[in-house]
Amino acid sequence: MTQTTELRGPLDADAARFLERFAAALTFPLADNADLAATDAYLAGERSRLTMTPGATLLGPDALAVTTEDHVIAEGVRVRSYRPAGAADQPRPVALYLHGGGWVSGSIELHDSTCRILAADGGLVVFSVGYRLAPEYPYPAPLDDCDRALQWVRCVAGERFGADPRRLAVVGTSSGGNLAAALALRARDRAESEIAAQVLIYPALDAGMTGASYQPEVNGRDYFISAPHMRWYWQQYGDAPTDPYFSPLAATDLTGLPPTVLVSAEFDLLRDDAIEYERRLLAVGVPVRRRHYQQIHGFLTLMDDIGAAQGEVASLARLTGSILADLGISGEVAAARPAIDVTRQIEPGTRARLDRLARWDTTSVESIRWTYRVVHPAPVPPHPRVRRSDETIPGTDGRSDVKVRWYRPVGAEGLRPGLVYFHGGAYIMGTLEENDDRLDLMADELGCAIVSVGWRVAPEHPYPDGLDDAETVWRHVAGDPAALGLDGDRLVIGGSSAGAGLATAACLRLKDEPIPQPALQLLIYPMLDDREVTPSIRALAGGPGHWGLWHLRAQRLAWQAYHRAITDGDVPPTAAPARASAEDLRGVPPAFIGIGDVDAYVDENVRYAATLAEAGVSVELHVYPGVIHGGFVARPATPRTEQFLRDAYAALASVFNPVL
């Protein structure tokens, strides 16, 4: 148990009056053995209380010179951006703000005033994250949502907000402080320089609740939250007390963490979490500034009741801004992140598999194709419950015929949902046969019919030949779905890698055509951008982040082959969908995008998701830690690739079985 030498001192007078006024509302009524109904009732009340808590009154849109905008970056995950008015001498630093609420409540709206002050007084571009809440979404879902927001901000802050994502502080209050500390640990363990500073405001860091301030004889009485109350919060969040991403004080190694600001309150049972974390950080040489107040937990959001709160938030904003400004990072904002050190990130099972694979010969298109054939698995016999059949769809308007392969569940009756699927292969390779195992399983497990498209590949058939094939097949399927045994209201278009890029291009081309549109785009790590502008693509040049299976020169050869017939240099969005603007994308179908965070295409995928959201298109983005390109394999062998498959199935099921 950690003991402290902090002087008790007097409680702030405004805080004392607040406690007197709201003592009854702040009482925790549940015993450890509370039944489910009582727990659910209390949870509902907790969410209501932390929506209406005095002090949550917004400053209002005209109170500070700050521009706000809401963004949906994934299913159930929202981000609100705050930009201070006026010009800046250089791109502004960034704050990723994670709200408190015991992981079960709280919202962007509750912390709106705090974020406005951070932006205005700190000169920061602030991104406040509306992550999913426990217990419906327990650990690690809230942390994964915050990580997803971090990746999104890192990719779009420079282009869309004139900010510098290399000077990014993660800021969190209470349970948000827990998420901020965990996110900094996770980013450090990925060997990525994503977080330049962490600001932890009365953070919850110890799931074991071992600090002296948790004890009644030390804390004296309940100040806003009690020990049983805090224990209940942890129970709703999860049960992983030795996992440092769950309970950061469980971390045995704090080296390499960014400069830290810690805020502690004397009359707060979480006080010793901050004090102990400061001690451990200082012991390994991490710079720490701690600010201690004669206050209660949560006082910085109680601006209507505690007179000092707004001024203290402004002071913290200036301190955070000065720390980030003093970093003195030079160079273009586009160089936002060094190459990823993949060997320290990928899932162990994936790494073992990679070590057995042949290295790519990327000398030419033919050598790439040869290596692709070597590493590709042998064909598999049909699944016993799936019927495969090959067909040639006649071309129209002078276009070529297109070979397809159907996968239909045996014995299926009535109109089935359908998926039009495009194989991968960097636009220069790939066959119908390579997806037999995956598509057999999908047809059987989801009860759908799948048509896999044998689209023509470059350089023999450059853009727009493959896209013409995609359009031919979609028009054939959507034109008279009932004749094919399909339900026209439950048709999805999708693919993997270049095939997913082709699916996005088909949606762009067809969105204004008078034909039925897909209900969903299923985009598995799509290949979207030919411009070599993202850090994750530049990692393919070699060095850290490059493990030998693909290379920037291969990426370049593939795009050059695909764009061979574009002679004027004006590449349209249908030839490289990442070039599409929000206006171009307005009206395309909803999208599911899944990709690993060690995939070279991760940055362009996150940017594309952001542009879809800007266009008002519903997009569900999943970024899976440690999953490489090709992680959506026929039979996933690692926990995160299995999660990838479950999420993709869930997205399809939302269309195929909408009543469920």
Side-chain angles (χ1 to χ4, degrees):
M1 180 182 296
T2 302
Q3 299 293 331
T4 75
T5 57
E6 296 290 323
L7 296 176
R8 195 60 166 171
L11 175 63
D12 175 83
D14 285 346
R17 283 190 287 270
F18 170 80
L19 290 174
E20 290 175 2
R21 288 172 56 205
F22 296 100
L26 302 176
T27 300
F28 181 68
L30 297 180
D32 286 342
N33 59 352
D35 61 32
L36 184 61
T39 300
D40 287 346
Y42 181 73
L43 175 62
E46 180 79 355
R47 287 175 173 169
S48 176
R49 179 174 72 84
L50 283 189
T51 300
M52 303 304 295
T53 295
T57 304
L58 303 185
L59 293 175
D62 301 321
L64 296 171
V66 173
T67 301
T68 66
E69 184 179 359
D70 283 2
H71 319 267
V72 177
I73 66 167
E75 186 72 25
V77 185
R78 184 164 56 101
V79 171
R80 179 172 293 173
S81 60
Y82 300 78
R83 280 184 280 183
D89 296 335
Q90 59 180 334
R92 296 184 185 275
V94 174
L96 185 75
Y97 186 86
L98 312 178
H99 68 74
W103 304 283
V104 304
S105 57
S107 65
I108 289 174
E109 286 72 25
L110 179 64
H111 292 254
D112 184 85
S113 296
T114 301
C115 291
R116 290 177 184 274
I117 296 169
L118 283 173
D121 286 86
L124 305 166
V125 178
V126 178
F127 297 89
S128 181
V129 183
Y131 53 87
R132 292 171 297 170
L133 300 174
E136 294 87 349
Y137 298 97
Y139 175 82
L143 179 60
D144 288 344
D145 291 348
C146 295
D147 203 349
R148 188 172 298 131
L150 173 65
Q151 301 290 342
W152 180 81
V153 168
R154 178 175 58 78
C155 290
V156 305
E159 280 187 5
R160 291 184 54 191
F161 297 93
D164 185 352
R166 297 166 302 171
R167 295 186 293 160
L168 181 148
V170 59
V171 183
T173 63
S174 190
S175 55
N178 167 282
L179 294 169
L183 199 54
L185 283 164
R186 185 185 270 189
R188 179 208 61 180
D189 294 344
R190 286 199 299 245
E192 299 179 16
S193 57
E194 292 174 345
I195 296 176
Q198 57 177 343
V199 181
L200 312 180
I201 301 170
Y202 28 79
L205 302 175
D206 180 12
M209 298 172 55
T210 58
S213 57
Y214 286 99
Q215 306 307 312
E217 62 270 20
V218 175
N219 209 33
R221 53 164 286 187
D222 296 340
Y223 294 96
F224 200 53
I225 54 174
S226 63
H229 195 177
M230 194 65 215
R231 189 175 302 111
W232 180 81
Y233 278 144
W234 282 108
Q235 290 168 349
Q236 307 314 302
Y237 185 40
D239 183 21
T242 62
D243 183 345
Y245 301 155
F246 179 81
S247 177
L249 271 173
T252 57
D253 178 14
L254 299 180
T255 58
L257 287 172
T260 301
V261 175
L262 277 162
V263 173
S264 55
E266 180 63 33
F267 299 87
D268 179 7
L269 81 169
L270 300 182
R271 179 194 64 188
D272 290 354
D273 286 13
I275 294 172
E276 177 65 9
Y277 209 54
E278 176 192 34
R279 184 188 69 78
R280 295 190 191 179
L281 289 169
L282 290 173
V284 295
V286 176
V288 179
R289 304 187 196 186
R290 184 163 65 89
R291 293 190 167 191
H292 190 69
Y293 298 91
Q294 297 301 117
Q295 285 288 358
I296 60 173
H297 186 82
F299 77 97
L300 288 176
T301 56
L302 300 173
M303 296 180 193
D304 286 356
D305 292 276
I306 297 179
Q310 184 168 335
E312 296 300 341
V313 174
S315 178
L316 278 171
R318 291 189 291 271
L319 174 60
T320 303
S322 68
I323 290 172
L324 296 174
D326 289 345
L327 291 176
I329 297 174
S330 59
E332 297 180 2
V333 173
R337 181 189 68 173
I340 304 168
D341 183 355
V342 173
T343 60
R344 298 176 67 179
Q345 294 185 69
I346 59 176
E347 290 189 278
T350 304
R351 185 177 183 184
R353 179 171 173 267
L354 288 176
D355 289 342
R356 294 194 300 270
L357 293 177
R359 299 305 189 208
W360 287 87
D361 179 349
T362 57
T363 307
S364 65
V365 168
E366 281 309 313
S367 69
I368 294 170
R369 286 172 168 176
W370 179 86
T371 308
Y372 189 74
R373 288 192 294 270
V374 170
V375 303
H376 201 272
V380 297
H383 190 287
R385 293 191 298 273
V386 173
R387 184 178 72 256
R388 298 179 192 165
S389 61
D390 292 343
E391 179 185 346
T392 298
I393 295 175
T396 57
D397 300 326
R399 293 175 178 166
S400 296
D401 298 346
V402 185
K403 294 181 179 180
V404 300
R405 175 167 292 179
W406 286 92
Y407 306 78
R408 291 184 172 95
V410 172
E413 297 180 359
L415 299 181
R416 313 298 297 178
L419 167 64
V420 178
Y421 190 85
F422 303 96
H423 65 74
Y427 298 101
I428 59 173
M429 52 198 172
T431 66
L432 284 175
E433 295 78 13
E434 70 183 50
N435 291 301
D436 280 346
D437 194 9
R438 167 78 278 131
L439 299 182
D440 272 354
L441 291 171
M442 292 178 75
D444 176 54
E445 294 168 7
L446 292 171
C448 64
I450 302 173
V451 55
S452 179
V453 182
W455 54 282
R456 293 169 293 167
V457 299
E460 296 83 358
H461 298 283
Y463 171 87
D465 288 358
L467 182 57
D468 289 344
D469 294 344
E471 180 178 350
T472 294
V473 174
W474 181 259
R475 286 184 179 277
H476 176 76
V477 170
D480 190 3
L484 301 170
L486 302 176
D487 180 348
D489 293 329
R490 296 186 290 164
L491 297 180
V492 173
I493 193 169
S496 61
S497 195
L502 200 64
T504 67
C507 290
L508 274 164
R509 178 187 273 190
L510 297 172
K511 70 184 181 75
D512 297 320
E513 294 291 317
I515 61 172
Q517 299 294 306
L520 177 74
Q521 304 178 66
L522 182 75
L523 308 180
I524 308 301
Y525 35 76
M527 181 177 177
L528 301 170
D529 200 340
D530 64 313
R531 295 169 294 182
E532 300 177 15
V533 295
T534 65
S536 60
I537 280 292
R538 288 198 299 272
L540 292 176
H546 174 62
W547 65 98
L549 294 181
W550 193 243
H551 199 281
L552 187 61
R553 63 175 171 266
Q555 178 80 359
R556 192 170 295 155
L557 281 170
W559 279 113
Q560 288 172 349
Y562 187 54
H563 290 167
R564 183 169 61 87
I566 301 175
T567 57
D568 59 4
D570 186 14
V571 178
T574 50
R579 292 175 176 263
S581 67
E583 187 57 37
D584 293 329
L585 293 172
R586 206 171 305 281
V588 301
F592 168 95
I593 301 176
I595 190 162
D597 70 351
V598 293
D599 192 316
Y601 300 148
V602 63
D603 289 350
E604 63 198 61
N605 277 224
V606 174
R607 288 182 178 186
Y608 193 70
T611 309
L612 285 170
E614 184 182 356
V617 176
S618 175
V619 57
E620 181 179 345
L621 171 68
H622 293 264
V623 180
Y624 300 95
V627 173
I628 63 166
H629 194 77
F632 187 79
V633 292
R635 300 178 188 273
T638 63
R640 289 178 185 139
T641 54
E642 289 173 352
Q643 185 61 52
F644 194 161
L645 183 63
R646 285 194 295 271
D647 291 339
Y649 272 26
L652 289 170
S654 69
V655 174
F656 292 167
N657 305 294
V659 297
L660 298 180

